Amino acid sequence: MRITGGIARGIPLRVPSAGGVRPATDYIREAVFNSLAAFVPGTVVLDLFAGTGAYGLESLSRGAARATCVDRRIGAELTANAAAVAKSMGRAELPFAQITGDATKPGVAEGRFDLVFADPPWELWPTQGAEIAATAVSYADDGPHVRVVLEAPGGFAVPVPAGWKLKKVIGKGKGQPAASILVRVAAE
């Protein structure tokens, strides 16, 4: 697992050996960021269910202004990954915050975000999918160019909260990771 683009491209990311972390694959992250392309620079990013911090750190490598990662268990791997990305970018530290908390609940992170990623354990989607999607969009800034990316198993129809629409689904197929990109109904 590595950073797939930007200044820190190629930097390996450490993955916890315990705790059931299923990080976003290089393939799906690269496809998501290729789709978002020019949208990422300057954004304020939230990475819910961060695990390794892959989405947040990838965003910073590709020019995001700052990133916040939320997970129930912030481990040494996430801290080490942030340090490795910072070093590769020639910085002492990144504009990066880590929050230990329940990413299924609103209000864990403060502020509004231009780009929100939620990559929960897949077993949560059938029972808490609507709550996860609603929490993710609750953090979105009010601007029309906000994006919310929900990663779920391919073939699973992620719930789309009122006021939002599914812009695009990126993925290979059933059982493989798929990323659903949501935008506000009025946005294009």
Side-chain angles (χ1 to χ4, degrees):
M1 179 165 189
R2 62 187 172 80
I3 298 293
T4 63
I7 298 169
R9 181 184 178 113
I11 296 299
L13 298 175
R14 293 173 47 184
V15 178
S17 57
V21 173
R22 180 206 39 79
T25 65
D26 291 357
Y27 167 80
I28 198 73
R29 271 185 298 105
E30 188 166 26
V32 165
F33 281 99
N34 286 344
S35 180
L36 296 172
F39 175 74
V40 176
T43 57
V44 179
V45 175
L46 179 62
D47 183 355
L48 298 169
F49 305 94
T52 62
Y55 274 118
L57 295 170
E58 182 91 30
S59 297
L60 291 169
S61 176
R62 292 173 181 256
R66 62 185 163 91
T68 300
C69 288
V70 176
D71 204 295
R72 281 182 190 246
R73 186 177 29 225
I74 299 291
E77 292 82 6
L78 177 54
T79 302
N81 290 341
V85 169
K87 182 177 179 183
S88 75
M89 293 175 68
R91 297 179 175 186
E93 61 183 44
L94 295 172
F96 179 75
Q98 301 175 52
I99 298 173
T100 302
D102 185 351
T104 64
K105 306 292 183 210
V108 176
E110 292 183 18
R112 308 294 273 173
F113 300 87
D114 306 308
L115 184 53
V116 178
F117 294 98
D119 182 14
W122 286 0
E123 63 269 11
L124 296 181
W125 278 114
T127 58
Q128 292 182 271
E131 182 182 0
I132 290 165
T135 296
V137 301
S138 77
Y139 286 110
D141 195 19
D142 293 330
H145 302 294
V146 170
R147 301 288 184 267
V148 174
V149 180
L150 305 173
E151 187 175 321
F156 181 83
V158 299
V160 178
W164 293 81
K165 66 181 178 181
L166 182 63
K167 182 172 177 73
K168 185 177 196 177
V169 177
I170 300 168
K172 286 186 172 183
K174 191 168 182 168
Q176 296 297 313
S180 297
I181 300 175
L182 307 183
V183 296
R184 291 192 188 284
V185 170
E188 280 302 320

